[in-house]
Amino acid sequence: MSDITNRGYAGKILHLKLSTLEYEVIPTEKYVEWGGGNGMGTALYWDFCEDKTIQDGRDEKNVVVIATSPLCGTATPSAGGRCEIVGTACGLYPESFFSRSNIGGRLSSMMKYAGWDAIVISGKAPKPVWVEIQNSLVRYHSAEALWGKDAHETQLRLFGILDRKNEGWGWQPLPGKGAGDSGYTTQIPAIAAISQAGERLQTMAGILHDAGNISGQGGFGAVWGSKNLKAISVLGTGAVKAADPAALIRARFKVKERYAPDVQKPDLLAWSFLSYPKPIAFAGDYDQSRRSACVGCVMGCRQRFSTGVGNQVKCQASAWYLAYIKKYAKKHPEEIDLNNEKQIVEISNYAADLCNRYALNTYLFQHALPWLEGLWHRGLLGKGKQVPSELDFDKLGSKAFVKEFCEAFAFRKDIGALFGDGFVHGVIKLGLEEDYKNGTLDFPYWGIQEHGYDPRAEVEWGYASILTDRDVNSHEFNQLYWNISIYTLMGLKPRISAEKLVHLIAEKLKPYVDGPECMDFSEENIYSDAVLNLTRWYIHYNRFWKNSALFCDLRWANLFHSRGDDAGNEGATGDPEVGEQVYWNAVTGENISIVDGLKRGYRVIVLQNAIWALQGRHRDKVHFADFIYEKPFEKGEFPFYMWTVRDKEGKWRYGDIMHRKLDREKFEDFKTRYYLAEGLDPKTGWPTEETLKKLKLDFAIDELKEHGKLPESNAS
Ligand code: SF4
C-alpha cells in the first residue's frame, strides 16, 4: 500500500500523557485497519488503557481518545467535519462502560490539517491545563485562570491568547516564525473546552467546540474535568490528500444533483436526510439568521443568529424548553405574550444557549425535567422535602427558572448535586427507585433517557441501544416514522406505498436480510430472526460507516427518498455512484464495498464487547428498565406511532405500533439468538475465543482469560 498520508490519513497520532505533562507521537499505520473514529479509538483505548476493568470514566486510569477518519477535512458530503470521542463514560447505570460520543464542526478537520489522526489522552494533570497544538508543536499551559469559566468564555479567552499579533483574526504568524516568514495562516484554531460542570465532575457535562457542537452522551466533560484538562486548541495549516480527488468531487456533485432540494421551493414532504431543505431547528426564527454547517456538509442543519444567542443548536437542543415557555405564558400573560413569537423564541434560544455555554446534555433534561416537575406536583420536591430543592417549579417556563435550573447542574448544587453522578443513581439514593422501575422517569436503558423513539414501538432503536452501551441515536430507519407521521398528521396519502418502501429498504440491507420481512414491526414479528438481522445490520453500519468513517447521522444512512418527482425513491446508501463506499474508496484508495464496511463494524463491536466483559458486563445486565416489559407505551410525540407492518393476509401497510409492551422472555430469547449470530457466548454475552480468532482479535484473548472473562467453551 502506498504512503497513508496520500490516502486521507495524517499519519500520526498524538498521545498526551497528562500525569507527566509529556507527549509522544505514535505512527498511525498500526491503526489504519480500523478505518478511523470509533474503530480506531477503540483499538487505541485497548492498547493504552492499562486497567480496562474501570467502571466510571472519572477514574484516573481512564483513557479518552478523540479520533478522526480519512474523510475528515475532505469534501465528502456530510462526513468531513464529524469527530468521535471514546473512552469509559460516566453517569450510566448500573455501571458506566466504555462508550462513545460524537461532535461536528471544525475540530476533526483541523486535527487533520495539523497532522493528527487522533489524540489519546491518559493520566491526570497535576493542576488544570489546556493544550495548544499548532501543526507538530504541542504545548501544555496552565489553565488555572480558565478554571471556573464556562465553555464559551474559555474559547474566547483562548482565542485572545492565541491571537499573538493582538489584532483580531487575520493573517497570523505561526509560533516560532517571524514577520516575512512563510509561516502565516488565516485559519482560526478549533477549540474543545469544558465548563464548570465538567470541572465539578457532573455526569451530564459534555465537551463543547465552537458555539454549539457538544459531545452530549457519556459525560466526557466530567472525564476531562477529572483529568484536570480544561481545553485543547488545534491549529493546522496542512491539507488532506485523497487518493483520487477527481472521483471524490464527481461523486459529491452527483449526490447534490440527485438529492439536493430546491431551496427556493422547499418540499417538506420529501423527508429524507440528504435533502431536508431547512435547518433542523424547531423553535422558529426570531431574527436574522443564516445557515451553519460542519466542514464539508452538503446541507448545514444549523443556524447562526444575528444576536449570537443559541448559535449552532439544532434538533431537540434547539427547543427543549419551548413547551414549558408556552405553558408558562398562558398563566402569566403579563410576563410572556403567547402571540409574540419573537419573545417566545428568544427565551427558547436563551435556554439552548445556556446548555451550550455549560456544555450540558439537553437530552437528559428531555425526560428528567417533566419527572422533576411531577415530583413538585406530588409534593416530593421542594424545601425540606424528600428531594430537597430551592427551585420554584411554579416558575418553570420563565427565563429566570431556566437560568437557575441550568446553573444548578453546571455548578453541581441543589438538584444538580443530587443527580450529579447520574439520574438513576440519584433516584435510587433518594428512595424513588419505583419511579425508575415503573417508567414515571422515562429512562429505559443504561440509566439514560429515552430519545423520543420508545423501544416498545421502535424496536430497532431500543434493541441497538441495549445491545450496545447508550442511546444509539441513529435515524436511518427512524426517517420512516417521521415521514409517515407527517403524512398522517396532514391527512395525506404517503408518496411511497408501504409495499414499495419495505422492498426499497430490504434491498439496502442485503445480505443481512433476504426480504422485506425485517420491516414488519407488528407485535408478532419484532422478535423474529428477520428483525434480529436488521438490528445486526444497524449496529454494524453504525460502528463502521457512521461512527468510524464518520458519515453524519443526520444525512446517512439514506435508505429511501420520498421526493415527489419522477427521479425515483432510491436512497444513496451503497449506491455504486454516490454511496458511502464511493467516497471512502476515492479518499483511501481502497476498493471496498458497503458490506466490507459492515464487516469492519462487526469487528469493532466484538472488540467493544470484550471491553464491556472486562468491565463487568454480563448478559444478565443487558435488559430494559422494568416498565418496558410491564406497561404499554401510550404517550409519544404524536398520539400514534406509524411504521410498516404486514397484516395476516401478507399485505403491507402503514400501521400504528404504539400501544404495546415488550415481552421479557421473548426478548431474552432474541438476545440469545443475537449473541449466537454475533459469535458471542449466549450464557454471558462475552466474545468467544473462536470469534476473536476469526476476526483477528487474538490480542484480546489473554487479557480476557486473565480476568476470567473468556467463555469456557465455544457457544453452540
Ligand atoms: S447535517 Fe448538520 S450535524 Fe451533520 S454534518 Fe451537516 S451540519 Fe453537521
Side-chain angles (χ1 to χ4, degrees):
M1 274 274 175
S2 61
D3 178 0
I4 59 167
T5 60
N6 290 325
R7 301 192 288 116
Y9 291 95
K12 294 181 296 167
I13 292 164
L14 176 63
H15 177 194
L16 297 173
K17 303 172 173 186
L18 293 180
S19 303
T20 55
L21 300 185
E22 295 171 314
Y23 71 89
E24 67 175 329
V25 178
I26 306 156
T28 303
E29 265 94 350
K30 180 182 169 195
Y31 299 96
V32 165
E33 63 178 283
W34 297 93
N38 189 263
M40 183 180 277
T42 304
L44 284 161
Y45 179 91
W46 184 275
D47 285 354
F48 287 88
C49 184
E50 287 173 14
D51 181 357
K52 297 179 203 54
T53 63
I54 55 172
Q55 295 180 329
D56 188 314
R58 297 167 296 182
D59 190 311
E60 190 176 332
K61 289 176 277 186
N62 192 14
V63 168
V64 186
V65 183
I66 308 173
T68 71
S69 98
L71 308 185
C72 295
T74 74
T76 305
S78 308
R82 303 300 308 180
C83 193
E84 186 83 350
I85 299 175
V86 302
T88 292
C90 59
L92 303 179
Y93 178 81
E95 297 95 25
S96 291
F97 297 110
F98 177 83
S99 188
R100 55 168 294 274
S101 198
N102 188 288
I103 54 174
R106 306 176 295 124
L107 182 64
S108 65
S109 47
M110 198 60 89
M111 281 170 61
K112 297 282 292 293
Y113 302 152
W116 305 104
D117 290 307
I119 302 173
V120 179
I121 304 163
S122 66
K124 176 182 179 178
K127 286 186 176 160
V129 293
W130 68 276
V131 182
E132 179 187 10
I133 301 168
Q134 305 220 25
N135 293 332
S136 58
L137 186 96
V138 180
R139 293 199 279 218
Y140 289 97
H141 298 278
S142 166
E144 306 235 33
L146 299 172
W147 213 250
K149 308 288 177 223
D150 67 47
H152 279 172
E153 195 178 343
T154 299
Q155 292 184 77
L156 288 173
R157 287 194 175 216
L158 290 182
F159 285 137
I161 292 167
L162 292 162
D163 174 13
R164 293 194 161 86
K165 277 172 77 186
N166 202 22
E167 288 179 355
W169 285 92
W171 285 100
Q172 286 282 330
L174 292 169
K177 305 276 184 180
D181 203 311
S182 59
Y184 280 80
T185 182
T186 54
Q187 292 276 25
I188 296 174
I191 299 171
I194 64 166
S195 75
Q196 299 92 334
E199 293 170 10
R200 286 166 174 76
L201 313 187
Q202 165 66 261
T203 58
M204 67 186 304
I207 299 163
L208 180 83
H209 157 55
D210 279 348
N213 304 288
I214 301 179
S215 68
Q217 294 197 48
F220 286 106
V223 174
W224 276 28
S226 74
K227 294 184 170 303
N228 272 334
L229 177 61
K230 181 70 179 174
I232 295 180
S233 167
V234 189
L235 179 62
T237 57
V240 180
K241 289 189 194 164
D244 187 349
L248 172 63
I249 298 302
R250 263 198 313 275
R252 183 183 166 99
F253 277 128
K254 194 152 274 179
V255 89
K256 284 209 74 162
E257 206 177 281
R258 277 199 210 164
Y259 294 99
D262 180 348
V263 285
Q264 304 303 325
K265 289 188 239 151
D267 176 8
L268 286 172
L269 292 176
W271 185 287
S272 177
F273 290 141
L274 269 170
S275 63
Y276 192 62
K278 280 163 68 73
I280 303 180
F282 299 132
D285 290 324
Y286 80 113
D287 216 324
Q288 288 185 322
S289 66
R290 63 186 167 88
R291 292 182 91 134
S292 162
C294 306
V295 169
C297 186
V298 277
M299 283 302 301
C301 67
R302 298 132 184 265
Q303 51 197 335
R304 288 191 187 143
F305 300 95
S306 60
T307 58
V309 178
N311 279 355
Q312 290 185 334
V313 290
K314 66 162 197 258
C315 219
Q316 176 270 358
S318 70
W320 70 271
Y321 195 55
L322 188 62
Y324 299 103
I325 302 168
K326 290 185 177 171
K327 210 157 91 179
Y328 185 79
K330 277 187 195 156
K331 283 196 208 145
H332 299 277
E334 73 294 350
E335 220 178 296
I336 304 175
D337 176 2
L338 197 53
N339 298 315
N340 184 345
E341 195 196 353
K342 181 172 173 176
Q343 190 189 16
I344 303 263
V345 179
E346 189 262 336
I347 301 171
S348 178
N349 278 15
Y350 172 74
D353 204 67
L354 281 169
C355 292
N356 277 353
R357 197 167 275 283
Y358 294 128
L360 296 173
N361 177 6
T362 54
Y363 248 109
L364 280 168
F365 291 160
Q366 186 78 16
H367 292 292
L369 185 51
W371 174 70
L372 290 165
E373 185 191 13
L375 290 182
W376 170 267
H377 292 305
R378 285 154 69 192
L380 298 175
L381 184 151
K383 283 182 198 164
K385 301 279 174 67
Q386 188 173 350
V387 182
S389 173
E390 297 288 320
L391 290 177
D392 180 359
F393 274 73
D394 283 336
K395 298 263 163 48
L396 175 60
S398 68
K399 202 167 171 179
F401 180 90
V402 76
K403 181 170 185 291
E404 276 185 43
F405 181 78
C406 288
E407 284 178 357
F409 285 91
F411 296 101
R412 209 176 164 127
K413 59 186 187 185
D414 200 275
I415 50 174
L418 298 176
F419 302 106
D421 289 325
F423 262 96
V424 174
H425 296 79
V427 165
I428 290 167
K429 255 193 228 154
L430 290 160
L432 291 162
E433 192 171 357
E434 203 43 41
D435 279 14
Y436 164 60
K437 288 186 171 173
N438 67 24
T440 306
L441 176 71
D442 194 356
F443 278 33
Y445 27 63
W446 302 126
I448 49 176
Q449 79 296 329
E450 191 267 308
H451 195 100
Y453 314 123
D454 196 284
R456 290 165 287 189
E458 198 173 329
V459 289
E460 99 290 356
W461 193 294
Y463 290 159
S465 297
I466 198 68
L467 293 168
T468 62
D469 50 295
R470 48 162 266 182
D471 163 20
V472 68
N473 195 6
S474 195
H475 294 74
E476 41 272 66
F477 297 100
N478 177 260
Q479 292 183 51
L480 178 166
Y481 157 76
W482 279 105
N483 200 222
I484 306 307
S485 295
I486 289 167
Y487 282 110
T488 306
L489 272 182
M490 296 174 81
L492 299 172
K493 186 168 175 270
R495 283 182 182 155
I496 315 179
S497 70
E499 172 89 29
K500 183 171 180 190
L501 187 70
V502 295
H503 282 92
L504 279 171
I505 294 179
E507 197 58 33
K508 296 285 184 195
L509 309 191
K510 280 181 175 171
Y512 280 64
V513 306
D514 58 9
E517 290 70 28
C518 62
M519 291 302 298
D520 176 7
F521 274 34
S522 64
E523 198 164 353
E524 297 70 41
N525 198 48
I526 52 175
Y527 310 100
S528 67
D529 283 347
V531 173
L532 188 152
N533 287 329
L534 173 145
T535 306
R536 293 183 64 223
W537 180 96
Y538 185 43
I539 293 173
H540 296 177
Y541 181 90
N542 264 273
R543 282 307 193 255
F544 183 74
W545 290 112
K546 197 168 282 185
N547 309 146
S548 297
L550 296 178
F551 281 90
C552 177
D553 171 54
L554 284 175
R555 305 293 173 209
W556 302 89
N558 189 241
L559 302 177
F560 68 96
H561 188 29
S562 61
R563 62 191 151 199
D565 56 31
D566 55 7
N569 300 116
E570 284 268 347
T573 282
D575 182 277
E577 291 184 312
V578 295
E580 297 86 335
Q581 79 288 355
V582 176
Y583 305 100
W584 182 266
N585 292 339
V587 173
T588 65
E590 289 194 280
N591 184 22
I592 67 167
S593 66
I594 191 92
V595 176
D596 293 332
L598 297 171
K599 287 181 191 157
R600 291 179 184 188
Y602 170 43
R603 188 166 180 248
V604 174
I605 196 73
V606 170
L607 183 58
Q608 291 177 352
N609 270 286
I611 298 172
W612 296 329
L614 290 167
Q615 293 181 311
R617 169 101 49 114
H618 184 280
R619 74 163 284 163
D620 293 350
K621 292 183 180 177
V622 181
H623 56 76
F624 297 99
D626 288 350
F627 69 95
I628 295 294
Y629 310 103
E630 290 165 7
K631 280 172 79 171
F633 168 41
E634 302 289 4
K635 199 169 168 295
E637 303 266 355
F638 307 116
F640 45 75
Y641 208 102
M642 302 310 285
W643 206 271
T644 48
V645 290
R646 205 170 38 163
D647 60 27
K648 291 203 172 64
E649 291 74 48
K651 210 167 167 306
W652 288 97
R653 62 182 172 85
Y654 295 117
D656 182 6
I657 54 170
M658 183 180 242
H659 307 279
R660 68 186 185 206
K661 53 191 177 180
L662 291 191
D663 183 297
R664 208 184 287 265
E665 268 178 40
K666 287 182 184 166
F667 176 60
E668 285 303 309
D669 179 59
F670 181 93
K671 246 164 65 183
T672 299
R673 287 179 282 121
Y674 170 80
Y675 289 141
L676 286 167
E678 290 282 284
L680 306 172
D681 171 44
K683 288 198 196 85
T684 57
W686 305 336
T688 65
E689 190 166 346
E690 186 188 1
T691 302
L692 292 166
K693 284 183 174 159
K694 190 177 87 191
L695 295 176
K696 300 197 170 31
L697 297 172
D698 311 53
F699 60 83
I701 290 173
D702 285 349
E703 202 163 330
L704 286 166
K705 209 179 268 177
E706 202 181 301
H707 287 87
K709 296 295 167 71
L710 196 66
E712 277 172 16
S713 61
N714 284 332
S716 60

